[in-house]
């Protein structure tokens, strides 16, 4: 038995200690109430572990059984990435830069790069970014994988990666028909073959299909495969600045009538940023009744959308505030890390939350907390993690320790986790970053960007 001590937990007053029994959480109690714990800052005493000495193989726990002293920092369930493309990651500039910056040129550039794809190429780039995710405390990741490739090279590579990282990161794979289902040769067969090979979810891209009817048909095919194979569904939906692109109403209705409901997700839905008020109002009811999730990807879509606009240029994002208010579950995703659609990124959920706050104008105190939930709890709901997520007895012992006083503080100061615990083991540690300021005429001082009166 080991302990994470002196943890600040969202929604609870005071500090708490958290038991970790193997790879599961045990009890959570006010600091000092569990046997063998000590207040923050006290030296570790030998031999006072509640369940015997820590297993050295389980991380650098001291003799006291304290795995991590959170020292009053915010302890949160890990970050969750609800939407990324790991097969395309780290390819920005290959074979050429996306000069127009549009989604469509991105697809064309990727189509050229795809011709050179090998299993090792995909696996090594995806694994590198998954290590960045783990370092940032992101321990659940949903990745789309392009299956419009007759060889399914990327899919086989990602299935292998999913197995290789499972002790640290829970990786979900979505069969993503990048170039369409009905508009690509053997599209339906490739999608079904991906389901057979073991993906977790089925995707679609209705706004990319040649006709409106093909778009609707492509969603029907995706739902049919998801239901026959017992899989989740996550479609790229209405990722275009065209107010006529209205496939999310089709997706939501198929999810409600077929019973998939919160096991279905519409990603991007950027056309919602162009819908008129009357249609938006109608859509809120359709989405709320259906129970589907929405994933907004602010980093990529702020860059990709509005490319064909003169000024004023639209934001090109889904209706985050309005859909949250209507009771729809909305999460924030990264989408792309250094690829033809978005050239930047370090796989940081806090960076996504910060940009999401600015992009969706979530500046109220409760809205900032909501933005943190959109990269933790709400994203976990998108992945359908259920009892596999959260700090509570019996659940997998996954958490992050943030050197911050609140979710607001963590987002504002972009604090990297001091510790990341996966399945009961410390997998990442980041020493606090402190800047020494030497102002002429004053003694040197350390600056950590905490407001003096908040200390
Ligand atoms: Zn995407």
């Amino acid at each position: 038995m080991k302990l994470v001590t002196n943890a600040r937990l969202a929604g609870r007053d005071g500090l708490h200690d958290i038991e970790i029994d193997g790879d599961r959480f045990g009890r959570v109690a006010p600091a000092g109430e569990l046997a063998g714990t000590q207040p923050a800052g006290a030296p570790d005493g030998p031999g006072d572990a509640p369940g015997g000495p820590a297993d050295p193989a389980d991380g650098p726990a001291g003799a006291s059984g304290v795995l991590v002293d959170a020292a009053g920092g915010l302890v949160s369930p890990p970050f969750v990435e609800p939407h990324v493309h790991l097969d395309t990651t780290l390819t920005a500039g290959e074979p050429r830069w996306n000069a127009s910056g549009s989604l469509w040129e991105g697809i064309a550039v990727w189509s050229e790069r795809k011709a050179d794809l090998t299993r090792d190429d995909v696996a090594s780039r995806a694994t590198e970014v998954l290590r960045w995710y783990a370092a940032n405390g992101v321990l659940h990741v949903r990745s789309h994988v392009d299956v419009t490739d007759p060889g399914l090279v990327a899919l086989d590579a990602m299935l292998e990666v999913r197995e290789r990282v499972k002790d640290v990161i829970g990786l979900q794979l979505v069969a993503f028909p990048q170039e369409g289902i009905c508009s690509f040769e053997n599209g339906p067969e490739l999608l079904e073959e991906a389901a057979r090979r073991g993906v977790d979810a089925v995707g679609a891209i209705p706004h990319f299909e040649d006709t409106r009817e093909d778009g609707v048909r492509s969603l029907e095919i995706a739902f049919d495969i998801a239901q026959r194979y017992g899989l989740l569904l996550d479609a790229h939906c209405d990722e275009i600045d065209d107010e006529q692109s209205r496939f999310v109403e089709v997706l939501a209705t198929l999810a409600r009538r077929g019973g998939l409901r919160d096991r279905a997700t519409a990603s991007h839905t950027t056309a919602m940023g162009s819908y008129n008020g009357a249609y938006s109002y109608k859509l809120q009811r359709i989405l709320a009744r259906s129970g589907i999730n929405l994933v907004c990807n602010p980093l990529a879509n702020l860059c990709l959308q509005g490319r064909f606009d003169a000024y004023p240029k639209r934001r090109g994002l889904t209706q985050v505030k309005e859909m949250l208010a209507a009771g729809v579950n909305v999460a924030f995703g990264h989408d792309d890390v250094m690829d033809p659609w978005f050239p930047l990124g370090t796989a940081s959920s806090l960076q996504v939350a910060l940009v999401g706050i600015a992009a969706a104008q979530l500046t109220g105190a409760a809205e900032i907390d909501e933005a943190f939930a959109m990269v933790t709890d709400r994203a976990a709901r998108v992945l359908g993690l259920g009892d596999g997520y959260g700090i509570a007895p019996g659940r997998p012992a996954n958490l992050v320790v943030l050197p911050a006083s609140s979710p607001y503080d963590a987002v504002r100061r972009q604090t990297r986790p001091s510790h990341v615990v996966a399945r009961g083991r410390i997998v990442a540690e980041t020493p606090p970053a402190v800047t020494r300021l030497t102002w002429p005429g004053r003694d040197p001082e350390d600056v950590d960007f905490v407001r003096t009166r908040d200390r």
Side-chain angles (χ1 to χ4, degrees):
M1 192 77 74
K2 293 168 294 184
L3 291 164
V4 174
T5 58
N6 303 304
R8 192 177 302 280
L9 297 170
R12 297 198 200 201
D13 291 333
L15 302 182
H16 287 74
D17 296 338
I18 304 160
E19 278 181 346
I20 294 179
D21 186 4
D23 62 358
R24 299 267 156 185
F25 286 121
R27 294 170 298 170
V28 179
E33 282 190 12
L34 297 171
T37 60
Q38 298 175 2
D44 288 350
D48 58 351
D55 176 357
D58 285 350
S64 65
V66 175
L67 181 69
V68 180
D69 180 354
L74 178 68
V75 173
S76 165
F79 295 109
V80 177
E81 173 58 81
H83 189 118
V84 68
H85 296 257
L86 289 174
D87 55 339
T88 61
T89 200
L90 308 187
T91 61
E94 299 172 5
R96 60 189 173 88
W97 211 256
N98 178 351
S100 71
S102 73
L103 170 68
W104 315 101
E105 187 175 342
I107 293 173
V109 170
W110 175 243
S111 193
E112 291 168 36
R113 176 63 172 78
K114 204 156 70 167
D116 300 330
L117 228 50
T118 65
R119 195 190 271 231
D120 283 353
D121 169 35
V122 174
S124 65
R125 286 184 288 100
T127 306
E128 184 170 355
V129 172
L130 286 167
R131 285 200 294 267
W132 296 358
Y133 272 119
N136 281 318
V138 186
L139 299 182
H140 300 276
V141 175
R142 173 178 284 184
S143 177
H144 298 256
V145 189
D146 184 0
V147 296
T148 47
D149 157 27
L152 294 176
V153 172
L155 177 66
D156 285 345
M158 290 308 302
L159 288 166
E160 208 176 288
V161 170
R162 183 179 67 184
E163 184 61 21
R164 230 187 285 150
V165 301
K166 69 172 194 248
D167 289 339
V168 176
I169 289 181
L171 178 60
Q172 280 187 358
L173 299 176
V174 186
F176 170 50
Q178 173 80 76
E179 301 191 50
I181 297 173
C182 298
S183 309
F184 189 77
E185 210 184 327
N186 296 325
E189 289 75 19
L190 285 166
L191 199 62
E192 179 145 8
E193 178 57 23
R196 211 173 288 127
R197 290 193 194 185
V199 293
D200 304 278
V202 180
I205 185 166
H207 56 280
F208 189 82
E209 303 283 355
D210 291 340
T211 66
R212 157 91 195 165
E213 289 68 24
D214 278 356
V216 173
R217 179 84 195 112
S218 73
L219 283 172
E220 290 168 350
I221 291 169
F223 269 89
D224 174 55
I225 295 174
Q227 266 157 339
R228 280 193 289 112
Y229 287 81
L231 300 174
L232 303 165
L233 184 135
D234 188 340
H236 282 60
C237 197
D238 303 318
E239 190 181 7
I240 185 169
D241 293 326
D242 175 8
E243 74 282 5
Q244 299 296 317
S245 187
R246 296 182 174 185
F247 293 105
V248 71
E249 65 182 23
V250 179
L251 189 158
T253 302
L254 288 171
R256 183 172 61 82
R257 292 187 185 152
L260 219 53
R261 293 187 171 272
D262 62 353
R263 292 166 57 79
T265 297
S267 285
H268 297 289
T269 57
T270 62
M272 235 188 257
S274 301
Y275 294 160
N276 63 63
Y279 180 64
S280 297
Y281 183 81
K282 176 189 169 191
L283 192 58
Q284 285 169 13
R285 181 169 170 273
I286 295 172
L287 296 194
R289 276 170 79 210
S290 74
I292 67 161
N293 308 289
L294 296 177
V295 175
C296 169
N297 299 301
L299 294 168
N301 284 123
L302 281 175
C303 291
L304 294 169
Q305 307 310 131
R307 292 281 179 167
F308 304 102
D309 288 355
Y311 287 100
K313 283 183 193 289
R314 74 194 99 186
R315 279 182 160 79
L317 295 180
T318 196
Q319 296 179 12
V320 174
K321 232 186 232 259
E322 294 76 7
M323 289 300 161
L324 284 171
V328 178
N329 184 43
V330 188
F332 279 139
H334 204 306
D335 201 16
D336 300 285
V337 182
M338 298 183 75
D339 73 9
W341 295 277
F342 185 67
L344 307 174
T346 58
S348 161
S349 294
L350 283 176
Q351 208 174 68
V352 172
L354 178 71
V355 174
I357 286 166
Q361 301 180 327
L362 300 174
T363 46
E367 290 174 325
I368 293 171
D369 283 349
E370 199 66 273
F372 187 87
M374 289 169 73
V375 292
T376 51
D377 295 338
R378 287 186 174 278
R381 281 167 62 188
V382 172
L383 270 65
L385 297 179
D387 289 348
Y389 184 81
I391 300 173
R395 298 192 182 191
N398 299 322
L399 59 78
V400 293
V401 181
L402 293 158
S405 57
S406 64
Y408 168 37
D409 187 32
V411 173
R412 183 182 69 82
R413 292 192 297 125
Q414 294 285 290
T415 54
R416 295 257 298 282
S418 64
H419 299 82
V420 178
V421 174
R423 317 298 191 261
R425 296 163 185 260
I426 296 172
V427 297
E429 292 174 83
T430 305
V434 176
T435 299
R436 170 61 56 93
L437 180 71
T438 308
W439 191 278
R442 285 176 63 116
D443 291 337
E445 57 184 327
D446 290 342
V447 177
D448 62 3
F449 306 97
V450 175
R451 188 167 61 173
T452 304
R453 70 176 152 96
D454 291 338
R455 284 182 197 286

